[in-house]
Amino acid sequence: QDVEVLATRVSLTAEQTPRMVTVLRAADIAAAAVHSVNDLLEYAVGVDVRQRGEFGVQTDVSVRGGNFDQITVLLNGVNISSPHTGHLTADFPVTALDIEQVEVLEGPAARVFGTSAFTGVINIVTRKPQKIEDSSKNNDFGGMGHVYGGSYGYAGADLSLNSAHKVGENASLTNLLTGGYSRSDGATPNSDFGSTRIFYQGSLKKDVLSVDGQFGYSYKDYGANTFYGAASTDQWESNERYIASLQVQTPLGEHWELMAGGNWNRWFDHYQWHRGTSPGGENFHKVDAAGMHANIGYNTAHGRTSLGYEMRYEGIYSTSLGQLLDTCDWVATGGHDATADIRYKKHDDRLNHNIYLEHDVLLDQWTVSLGVLANLNTGLDHKWRLYPGIDVAYRPSKEW
Protein backbone atom coordinates (compact mmCIF):
# COMPACT_ATOMS: atom_id res chain seq x y z
CA GLN A 1 0.00 0.00 0.00
CA ASP A 2 3.00 2.31 0.47
CA VAL A 3 4.29 1.62 -3.05
CA GLU A 4 3.89 4.67 -5.29
CA VAL A 5 2.57 4.17 -8.82
CA LEU A 6 2.14 6.39 -11.86
CA ALA A 7 -1.56 6.56 -12.63
CA THR A 8 -1.96 10.33 -12.33
CA ARG A 9 0.20 13.39 -13.02
CA VAL A 10 1.59 13.07 -9.50
CA SER A 11 2.64 9.84 -7.81
CA LEU A 12 0.07 8.29 -5.47
CA THR A 13 0.25 5.12 -3.42
CA ALA A 14 -1.34 2.02 -4.90
CA GLU A 15 -4.16 2.36 -2.37
CA GLN A 16 -4.89 6.00 -3.26
CA THR A 17 -4.84 5.74 -7.05
CA PRO A 18 -8.23 6.14 -8.79
CA ARG A 19 -7.31 3.70 -11.58
CA MET A 20 -6.89 -0.06 -11.74
CA VAL A 21 -3.12 -0.60 -11.71
CA THR A 22 -1.52 -4.04 -11.70
CA VAL A 23 1.80 -3.98 -9.84
CA LEU A 24 4.43 -6.71 -10.11
CA ARG A 25 6.78 -6.20 -7.17
CA ALA A 26 10.28 -7.46 -6.48
CA ALA A 27 9.07 -10.69 -4.81
CA ASP A 28 6.76 -11.44 -7.76
CA ILE A 29 9.60 -10.85 -10.22
CA ALA A 30 12.01 -13.09 -8.29
CA ALA A 31 9.43 -15.89 -8.18
CA ALA A 32 8.65 -15.63 -11.90
CA ALA A 33 12.02 -17.12 -12.99
CA VAL A 34 11.85 -15.43 -16.40
CA HIS A 35 14.60 -14.83 -18.97
CA SER A 36 13.60 -11.35 -20.15
CA VAL A 37 11.46 -8.31 -19.38
CA ASN A 38 9.16 -9.44 -22.20
CA ASP A 39 8.56 -12.76 -20.42
CA LEU A 40 7.86 -10.89 -17.20
CA LEU A 41 5.10 -8.79 -18.79
CA GLU A 42 3.12 -11.97 -19.48
CA TYR A 43 2.40 -12.18 -15.74
CA ALA A 44 0.51 -8.87 -15.75
CA VAL A 45 -3.28 -9.03 -16.02
CA GLY A 46 -4.67 -7.48 -19.20
CA VAL A 47 -1.33 -7.51 -21.05
CA ASP A 48 -1.01 -9.50 -24.29
CA VAL A 49 2.60 -10.39 -25.14
CA ARG A 50 3.26 -11.78 -28.64
CA GLN A 51 6.87 -12.98 -28.94
CA ARG A 52 8.13 -13.91 -32.40
CA GLY A 53 11.40 -15.13 -30.89
CA GLU A 54 12.61 -16.42 -27.54
CA PHE A 55 14.41 -14.35 -24.90
CA GLY A 56 12.79 -11.07 -25.96
CA VAL A 57 14.24 -11.08 -29.47
CA GLN A 58 11.17 -9.45 -31.05
CA THR A 59 8.02 -8.77 -29.09
CA ASP A 60 4.72 -6.95 -29.58
CA VAL A 61 3.00 -5.81 -26.37
CA SER A 62 -0.63 -4.68 -26.17
CA VAL A 63 -3.15 -3.95 -23.42
CA ARG A 64 -6.88 -4.69 -23.24
CA GLY A 65 -7.42 -5.77 -26.83
CA GLY A 66 -5.51 -2.92 -28.46
CA ASN A 67 -2.42 -3.31 -30.61
CA PHE A 68 1.29 -2.67 -30.08
CA ASP A 69 1.03 0.91 -31.41
CA GLN A 70 -1.69 1.92 -28.95
CA ILE A 71 0.19 1.81 -25.63
CA THR A 72 2.83 3.96 -23.98
CA VAL A 73 5.85 2.27 -22.39
CA LEU A 74 7.82 4.10 -19.70
CA LEU A 75 11.20 3.33 -18.15
CA ASN A 76 11.34 4.90 -14.68
CA GLY A 77 8.52 7.23 -15.75
CA VAL A 78 10.24 8.29 -19.01
CA ASN A 79 8.53 7.64 -22.35
CA ILE A 80 10.59 5.17 -24.42
CA SER A 81 7.90 4.25 -26.98
CA SER A 82 9.00 4.21 -30.60
CA PRO A 83 7.08 6.63 -32.90
CA HIS A 84 8.28 4.56 -35.88
CA THR A 85 6.66 1.24 -34.93
CA GLY A 86 5.53 -0.51 -31.78
CA HIS A 87 7.57 -3.53 -32.96
CA LEU A 88 10.64 -1.75 -31.51
CA THR A 89 9.15 -0.41 -28.27
CA ALA A 90 9.89 -3.60 -26.30
CA ASP A 91 13.65 -3.52 -27.02
CA PHE A 92 14.75 -2.83 -23.46
CA PRO A 93 18.34 -2.04 -22.39
CA VAL A 94 17.65 -3.85 -19.10
CA THR A 95 17.02 -7.45 -18.06
CA ALA A 96 14.57 -8.97 -15.61
CA LEU A 97 17.36 -8.93 -12.98
CA ASP A 98 17.40 -5.11 -13.14
CA ILE A 99 13.67 -4.67 -12.49
CA GLU A 100 12.27 -3.62 -9.13
CA GLN A 101 8.65 -3.13 -10.14
CA VAL A 102 6.31 -3.22 -13.16
CA GLU A 103 3.14 -1.11 -13.21
CA VAL A 104 0.38 -1.71 -15.75
CA LEU A 105 -2.34 0.93 -16.09
CA GLU A 106 -5.25 -0.43 -18.10
CA GLY A 107 -7.50 1.73 -20.22
CA PRO A 108 -7.22 5.11 -21.95
CA ALA A 109 -4.75 7.46 -20.27
CA ALA A 110 -4.26 10.26 -22.80
CA ARG A 111 -4.92 13.05 -20.31
CA VAL A 112 -2.03 11.78 -18.13
CA PHE A 113 0.56 10.39 -20.53
CA GLY A 114 -0.25 11.83 -23.96
CA THR A 115 -2.27 10.72 -26.95
CA SER A 116 -0.34 7.50 -27.64
CA ALA A 117 -1.65 6.04 -24.34
CA PHE A 118 -4.75 4.79 -26.13
CA THR A 119 -5.37 1.49 -24.35
CA GLY A 120 -2.89 1.54 -21.48
CA VAL A 121 0.50 2.37 -20.00
CA ILE A 122 3.33 0.13 -18.80
CA ASN A 123 5.92 1.63 -16.45
CA ILE A 124 9.07 -0.40 -15.79
CA VAL A 125 10.91 0.64 -12.62
CA THR A 126 14.53 -0.47 -12.26
CA ARG A 127 16.31 -1.29 -9.02
CA LYS A 128 17.44 1.80 -7.18
CA PRO A 129 21.17 2.11 -6.48
CA GLN A 130 21.99 1.11 -2.92
CA LYS A 131 22.25 3.73 -0.19
CA ILE A 132 24.85 4.00 2.56
CA GLU A 133 23.25 2.40 5.62
CA ASP A 134 26.26 2.80 7.95
CA SER A 135 26.57 6.48 8.94
CA SER A 136 30.27 6.00 9.68
CA LYS A 137 31.02 5.20 6.01
CA ASN A 138 31.49 7.67 3.18
CA ASN A 139 31.47 5.09 0.37
CA ASP A 140 29.85 1.74 -0.30
CA PHE A 141 30.18 -0.69 -3.21
CA GLY A 142 28.47 -3.87 -4.40
CA GLY A 143 28.11 -6.12 -7.40
CA MET A 144 26.49 -9.20 -8.87
CA GLY A 145 27.29 -11.50 -11.78
CA HIS A 146 25.24 -14.05 -13.69
CA VAL A 147 26.53 -16.56 -16.27
CA TYR A 148 24.29 -19.00 -18.11
CA GLY A 149 24.16 -21.37 -21.06
CA GLY A 150 22.06 -23.98 -22.77
CA SER A 151 21.30 -25.89 -25.93
CA TYR A 152 21.78 -24.66 -29.51
CA GLY A 153 24.72 -22.44 -28.60
CA TYR A 154 22.72 -20.41 -26.08
CA ALA A 155 25.05 -18.52 -23.73
CA GLY A 156 25.24 -15.21 -21.94
CA ALA A 157 26.41 -13.21 -18.99
CA ASP A 158 25.14 -10.25 -16.95
CA LEU A 159 27.07 -7.94 -14.63
CA SER A 160 25.72 -5.39 -12.17
CA LEU A 161 27.80 -2.84 -10.19
CA ASN A 162 26.51 -0.25 -7.73
CA SER A 163 28.03 2.36 -5.49
CA ALA A 164 27.02 5.03 -3.00
CA HIS A 165 29.01 8.08 -1.91
CA LYS A 166 28.60 10.95 0.51
CA VAL A 167 29.54 14.07 -1.42
CA GLY A 168 29.00 16.75 1.18
CA GLU A 169 26.74 17.89 3.96
CA ASN A 170 23.34 16.17 3.57
CA ALA A 171 24.25 15.06 0.03
CA SER A 172 24.69 11.63 -1.50
CA LEU A 173 25.41 10.18 -4.94
CA THR A 174 24.31 6.67 -5.95
CA ASN A 175 25.18 4.82 -9.15
CA LEU A 176 23.99 1.61 -10.77
CA LEU A 177 25.66 0.16 -13.89
CA THR A 178 24.45 -3.05 -15.53
CA GLY A 179 25.35 -4.78 -18.75
CA GLY A 180 25.06 -8.08 -20.49
CA TYR A 181 25.36 -10.14 -23.64
CA SER A 182 23.48 -13.20 -24.84
CA ARG A 183 23.46 -15.21 -28.05
CA SER A 184 22.13 -18.39 -29.64
CA ASP A 185 22.50 -20.34 -32.87
CA GLY A 186 18.74 -20.89 -32.81
CA ALA A 187 16.71 -24.07 -32.44
CA THR A 188 15.01 -23.69 -35.83
CA PRO A 189 16.37 -22.42 -39.18
CA ASN A 190 17.23 -18.69 -39.26
CA SER A 191 16.43 -18.09 -35.57
CA ASP A 192 19.93 -17.19 -34.35
CA PHE A 193 20.42 -13.97 -32.38
CA GLY A 194 22.89 -11.83 -30.48
CA SER A 195 21.95 -9.19 -27.90
CA THR A 196 24.09 -6.55 -26.15
CA ARG A 197 22.77 -4.14 -23.49
CA ILE A 198 24.17 -1.48 -21.13
CA PHE A 199 22.24 0.58 -18.60
CA TYR A 200 23.29 3.28 -16.12
CA GLN A 201 21.17 4.97 -13.46
CA GLY A 202 22.42 7.70 -11.14
CA SER A 203 20.83 9.78 -8.42
CA LEU A 204 22.07 12.86 -6.60
CA LYS A 205 20.18 13.97 -3.50
CA LYS A 206 20.94 17.04 -1.42
CA ASP A 207 18.49 18.07 1.27
CA VAL A 208 15.15 18.28 -0.61
CA LEU A 209 16.67 18.45 -4.12
CA SER A 210 16.69 15.27 -6.19
CA VAL A 211 18.43 14.82 -9.57
CA ASP A 212 17.96 11.50 -11.42
CA GLY A 213 19.54 10.43 -14.68
CA GLN A 214 19.65 7.31 -16.81
CA PHE A 215 21.35 6.11 -19.98
CA GLY A 216 20.78 2.92 -21.92
CA TYR A 217 22.12 1.20 -25.02
CA SER A 218 21.08 -2.01 -26.73
CA TYR A 219 21.92 -3.77 -29.97
CA LYS A 220 20.48 -7.00 -31.24
CA ASP A 221 20.61 -8.76 -34.59
CA TYR A 222 18.58 -11.83 -35.36
CA GLY A 223 17.33 -14.17 -38.02
CA ALA A 224 13.71 -13.09 -38.49
CA ASN A 225 12.54 -16.29 -40.21
CA THR A 226 8.93 -15.50 -41.29
CA PHE A 227 8.38 -12.68 -38.74
CA TYR A 228 6.97 -10.13 -41.21
CA GLY A 229 5.66 -12.35 -44.00
CA ALA A 230 5.38 -16.02 -44.86
CA ALA A 231 6.79 -15.61 -48.39
CA SER A 232 10.36 -15.31 -47.06
CA THR A 233 11.95 -17.67 -44.54
CA ASP A 234 15.36 -15.96 -44.53
CA GLN A 235 14.45 -12.48 -43.25
CA TRP A 236 16.96 -10.71 -41.01
CA GLU A 237 16.85 -7.61 -38.81
CA SER A 238 18.97 -5.60 -36.40
CA ASN A 239 17.74 -3.02 -33.88
CA GLU A 240 19.97 -0.53 -32.11
CA ARG A 241 18.79 2.04 -29.60
CA TYR A 242 20.00 4.75 -27.24
CA ILE A 243 18.02 6.29 -24.38
CA ALA A 244 18.97 9.13 -22.05
CA SER A 245 17.06 11.26 -19.58
CA LEU A 246 17.60 13.71 -16.75
CA GLN A 247 15.00 14.81 -14.20
CA VAL A 248 15.06 17.33 -11.35
CA GLN A 249 12.54 17.45 -8.51
CA THR A 250 12.39 19.92 -5.64
CA PRO A 251 9.81 21.51 -3.32
CA LEU A 252 8.99 25.20 -3.76
CA GLY A 253 7.89 26.26 -0.31
CA GLU A 254 5.45 24.44 1.92
CA HIS A 255 2.83 23.38 -0.65
CA TRP A 256 4.47 23.71 -4.08
CA GLU A 257 6.65 21.23 -5.93
CA LEU A 258 8.53 21.48 -9.23
CA MET A 259 9.56 18.61 -11.50
CA ALA A 260 11.34 19.22 -14.81
CA GLY A 261 13.51 17.25 -17.18
CA GLY A 262 14.40 16.15 -20.66
CA ASN A 263 14.86 12.88 -22.54
CA TRP A 264 16.20 11.57 -25.83
CA ASN A 265 15.70 8.28 -27.70
CA ARG A 266 17.34 7.11 -30.92
CA TRP A 267 16.64 3.95 -32.90
CA PHE A 268 18.52 2.41 -35.83
CA ASP A 269 16.66 -0.34 -37.68
CA HIS A 270 18.14 -2.43 -40.49
CA TYR A 271 15.92 -4.98 -42.23
CA GLN A 272 16.45 -7.48 -45.07
CA TRP A 273 13.67 -9.45 -46.73
CA HIS A 274 16.32 -11.92 -47.91
CA ARG A 275 19.25 -12.22 -45.52
CA GLY A 276 22.62 -11.16 -46.91
CA THR A 277 21.15 -10.30 -50.30
CA SER A 278 21.34 -6.65 -51.33
CA PRO A 279 19.12 -4.91 -52.21
CA GLY A 280 16.74 -7.85 -51.55
CA GLY A 281 14.04 -5.73 -49.87
CA GLU A 282 16.52 -3.93 -47.62
CA ASN A 283 15.46 -0.97 -45.43
CA PHE A 284 17.42 1.39 -43.16
CA HIS A 285 15.76 3.72 -40.64
CA LYS A 286 17.01 6.23 -38.08
CA VAL A 287 14.43 7.64 -35.66
CA ASP A 288 14.87 10.32 -33.01
CA ALA A 289 12.43 11.26 -30.26
CA ALA A 290 13.41 14.04 -27.87
CA GLY A 291 11.36 15.91 -25.32
CA MET A 292 11.33 18.28 -22.41
CA HIS A 293 8.75 18.78 -19.69
CA ALA A 294 7.95 20.84 -16.62
CA ASN A 295 5.31 20.12 -13.99
CA ILE A 296 4.25 22.26 -11.03
CA GLY A 297 2.22 20.69 -8.24
CA TYR A 298 0.28 22.22 -5.36
CA ASN A 299 -0.36 19.91 -2.38
CA THR A 300 -2.83 20.22 0.48
CA ALA A 301 -4.14 17.77 3.07
CA HIS A 302 -7.05 16.70 0.85
CA GLY A 303 -5.87 17.15 -2.70
CA ARG A 304 -3.19 17.82 -5.27
CA THR A 305 -3.30 20.09 -8.31
CA SER A 306 -0.86 19.67 -11.18
CA LEU A 307 -0.13 21.88 -14.20
CA GLY A 308 2.42 20.75 -16.78
CA TYR A 309 3.79 21.28 -20.28
CA GLU A 310 5.59 18.80 -22.51
CA MET A 311 7.13 19.14 -25.96
CA ARG A 312 8.18 16.01 -27.89
CA TYR A 313 10.00 16.00 -31.24
CA GLU A 314 9.76 12.90 -33.44
CA GLY A 315 11.73 12.58 -36.67
CA ILE A 316 12.75 9.84 -39.10
CA TYR A 317 15.40 9.41 -41.79
CA SER A 318 14.75 6.37 -43.94
CA THR A 319 15.33 4.61 -47.24
CA SER A 320 11.57 3.98 -47.59
CA LEU A 321 9.49 6.13 -45.18
CA GLY A 322 8.84 9.88 -45.21
CA GLN A 323 9.04 12.66 -47.80
CA LEU A 324 11.57 12.28 -50.62
CA LEU A 325 14.61 14.52 -50.13
CA ASP A 326 16.54 16.37 -52.81
CA THR A 327 19.62 14.44 -53.91
CA CYS A 328 21.91 16.96 -52.23
CA ASP A 329 20.14 16.34 -48.89
CA TRP A 330 20.58 12.56 -48.80
CA VAL A 331 22.15 11.44 -45.52
CA ALA A 332 24.60 8.60 -44.93
CA THR A 333 23.18 5.65 -42.99
CA GLY A 334 24.25 5.47 -39.36
CA GLY A 335 24.54 3.09 -36.47
CA HIS A 336 26.40 -0.19 -36.06
CA ASP A 337 25.20 -1.43 -39.48
CA ALA A 338 25.94 1.72 -41.47
CA THR A 339 26.60 0.99 -45.14
CA ALA A 340 28.82 3.35 -47.14
CA ASP A 341 26.98 3.08 -50.46
CA ILE A 342 23.42 3.46 -49.08
CA ARG A 343 21.82 6.80 -48.12
CA TYR A 344 18.70 7.88 -46.28
CA LYS A 345 16.65 9.38 -49.10
CA LYS A 346 13.49 10.25 -47.16
CA HIS A 347 12.71 12.28 -44.05
CA ASP A 348 9.75 13.50 -42.01
CA ASP A 349 9.18 14.93 -38.54
CA ARG A 350 6.55 16.36 -36.21
CA LEU A 351 6.17 18.14 -32.88
CA ASN A 352 3.73 17.29 -30.12
CA HIS A 353 2.85 20.08 -27.67
CA ASN A 354 0.97 18.90 -24.58
CA ILE A 355 -0.51 20.97 -21.75
CA TYR A 356 -1.77 19.02 -18.72
CA LEU A 357 -4.10 20.16 -15.94
CA GLU A 358 -5.25 17.79 -13.22
CA HIS A 359 -6.75 17.92 -9.73
CA ASP A 360 -6.83 14.90 -7.41
CA VAL A 361 -9.10 14.85 -4.36
CA LEU A 362 -7.85 12.43 -1.66
CA LEU A 363 -10.29 11.41 1.06
CA ASP A 364 -10.35 8.47 3.48
CA GLN A 365 -12.43 6.24 1.23
CA TRP A 366 -12.60 8.21 -2.00
CA THR A 367 -10.19 9.38 -4.69
CA VAL A 368 -11.45 11.66 -7.44
CA SER A 369 -9.10 12.59 -10.28
CA LEU A 370 -10.20 14.96 -13.01
CA GLY A 371 -8.14 16.63 -15.68
CA VAL A 372 -7.65 17.56 -19.30
CA LEU A 373 -4.89 17.31 -21.90
CA ALA A 374 -4.57 19.92 -24.64
CA ASN A 375 -2.56 18.56 -27.59
CA LEU A 376 -1.23 20.11 -30.79
CA ASN A 377 0.41 17.77 -33.31
CA THR A 378 2.21 19.52 -36.20
CA GLY A 379 1.87 16.32 -38.25
CA LEU A 380 -1.88 16.96 -38.40
CA ASP A 381 -3.46 20.38 -38.89
CA HIS A 382 -1.85 22.60 -36.21
CA LYS A 383 -5.06 22.69 -34.18
CA TRP A 384 -5.40 22.14 -30.45
CA ARG A 385 -7.47 19.15 -29.34
CA LEU A 386 -8.79 18.50 -25.83
CA TYR A 387 -8.79 15.12 -24.05
CA PRO A 388 -10.74 15.42 -20.77
CA GLY A 389 -11.34 12.67 -18.26
CA ILE A 390 -12.47 11.87 -14.73
CA ASP A 391 -11.76 8.82 -12.58
CA VAL A 392 -13.44 7.96 -9.28
CA ALA A 393 -12.43 5.27 -6.80
CA TYR A 394 -14.28 4.15 -3.66
CA ARG A 395 -12.71 1.94 -0.99
CA PRO A 396 -15.31 0.43 1.38
CA SER A 397 -12.48 -1.29 3.30
CA LYS A 398 -8.76 -2.00 3.00
CA GLU A 399 -9.54 -5.29 1.22
CA TRP A 400 -11.77 -3.73 -1.44
Side-chain angles (χ1 to χ4, degrees), residues 4-13 16-18 112-113 249 257 259 295-299 303-307 358-360 362 369:
E4 290 191 344
V5 296
L6 283 178
T8 55
R9 291 294 298 174
V10 294
S11 294
L12 300 176
T13 66
Q16 291 174 327
T17 179
V112 181
F113 296 103
Q249 187 170 356
E257 186 176 52
M259 183 173 64
N295 195 80
I296 296 178
Y298 180 75
N299 303 318
R304 301 179 181 181
T305 302
S306 176
L307 175 64
E358 180 184 81
H359 181 68
D360 302 312
L362 307 177
S369 177

Side-chain angles (χ1 to χ4, degrees), residues 71-310:
I71 67 169
T72 293
V73 177
L74 313 174
L75 181 62
N76 294 315
V78 178
N79 190 346
I80 61 169
S81 299
S82 169
H84 170 202
T85 171
H87 288 314
L88 305 182
T89 294
D91 287 342
F92 302 108
V94 295
T95 69
L97 294 174
D98 302 323
I99 307 303
E100 177 71 22
Q101 181 172 303
V102 176
E103 307 162 7
V104 179
L105 171 63
E106 295 186 50
R111 71 173 180 86
V112 181
F113 296 103
T115 53
S116 63
F118 191 76
T119 60
V121 177
I122 298 175
N123 183 34
I124 297 171
V125 181
T126 58
R127 291 187 294 113
K128 295 295 183 287
Q130 68 180 31
K131 299 178 181 179
I132 297 177
E133 302 295 343
D134 188 345
S135 59
S136 64
K137 291 184 177 181
N138 290 323
N139 301 282
D140 204 353
F141 300 90
M144 177 176 63
H146 181 212
V147 180
Y148 48 90
S151 303
Y152 304 103
Y154 176 57
D158 297 307
L159 180 65
S160 174
L161 302 172
N162 57 70
S163 67
H165 313 273
K166 290 182 179 178
V167 292
E169 189 68 25
N170 299 323
S172 64
L173 174 66
T174 56
N175 303 279
L176 175 66
L177 177 65
T178 69
Y181 174 78
S182 61
R183 53 94 59 206
S184 173
D185 296 327
T188 57
N190 197 37
S191 62
D192 59 296
F193 72 87
S195 176
T196 302
R197 54 201 172 274
I198 300 172
F199 180 72
Y200 167 79
Q201 181 182 6
S203 179
L204 173 64
K205 298 187 184 299
K206 179 174 175 56
D207 297 323
V208 295
L209 174 67
S210 176
V211 181
D212 297 286
Q214 62 183 5
F215 171 82
Y217 171 82
S218 66
Y219 174 81
K220 65 175 66 172
D221 63 302
Y222 49 93
N225 204 293
T226 56
F227 285 9
Y228 304 106
S232 169
T233 61
D234 59 345
Q235 300 169 55
W236 176 89
E237 187 172 10
S238 73
N239 308 132
E240 184 176 9
R241 79 177 303 176
Y242 297 84
I243 68 169
S245 68
L246 185 68
Q247 185 163 284
V248 178
Q249 187 170 356
T250 183
L252 299 175
E254 183 178 357
H255 299 289
W256 295 89
E257 186 176 52
L258 171 67
M259 183 173 64
N263 62 85
W264 169 72
N265 294 265
R266 171 169 286 180
W267 293 264
F268 290 102
D269 179 50
H270 179 197
Y271 173 77
Q272 293 178 334
W273 177 246
H274 293 294
R275 184 171 187 167
T277 304
S278 185
E282 189 171 35
N283 294 320
F284 288 83
H285 311 285
K286 181 181 79 169
V287 176
D288 284 289
M292 62 181 67
H293 67 273
N295 195 80
I296 296 178
Y298 180 75
N299 303 318
T300 65
H302 297 294
R304 301 179 181 181
T305 302
S306 176
L307 175 64
Y309 168 76
E310 178 187 50

